[in-house]
């Protein structure tokens, strides 16, 4: 399986990193959180059924109305 990051998702990941690195002055936390995101992506690659089911409508989640 291949994970394809949307531009919005990549921007969000960058913003999370910057928040901890710059705003919280915690580069270690920024690195740790980014590594955790990367590990979770690896889990999804190995076990794609762990992800949320996609809704048929764009920009919505299944089970949420």
């Amino acid at each position: 399986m291949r994970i394809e990051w949307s531009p919005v998702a990549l921007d969000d990941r960058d913003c999370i990193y910057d928040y901890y690195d710059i705003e919280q002055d915690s580069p270690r936390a920024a690195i740790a959180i980014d590594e955790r995101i990367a590990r979770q992506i690896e889990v999804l690659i190995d076990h794609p059924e762990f992800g949320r089911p996609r809704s048929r409508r764009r920009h919505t989640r299944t089970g949420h109305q």
Side-chain angles (χ1 to χ4, degrees), residues 2-63:
R2 180 174 170 258
I3 298 293
E4 186 173 325
W5 288 79
S6 72
V8 172
L10 288 171
D11 187 52
D12 285 348
R13 189 173 177 181
D14 287 342
C15 288
I16 292 167
Y17 186 92
D18 290 345
Y19 172 78
Y20 285 96
D21 185 32
I22 298 166
E23 299 294 324
Q24 297 296 313
D25 194 25
S26 184
R28 282 185 172 172
I31 291 167
I33 290 168
D34 195 63
E35 288 174 348
R36 183 173 178 196
I37 292 169
R39 284 192 307 271
Q40 291 302 105
I41 294 302
E42 292 297 320
V43 169
L44 284 176
I45 290 170
D46 293 339
H47 305 282
E49 69 279 0
F50 287 173
R52 286 192 177 142
R54 292 189 73 171
S55 171
R56 291 184 183 172
R57 293 186 344 196
R58 191 178 172 148
H59 302 297
T60 61
R61 294 182 181 163
T62 301

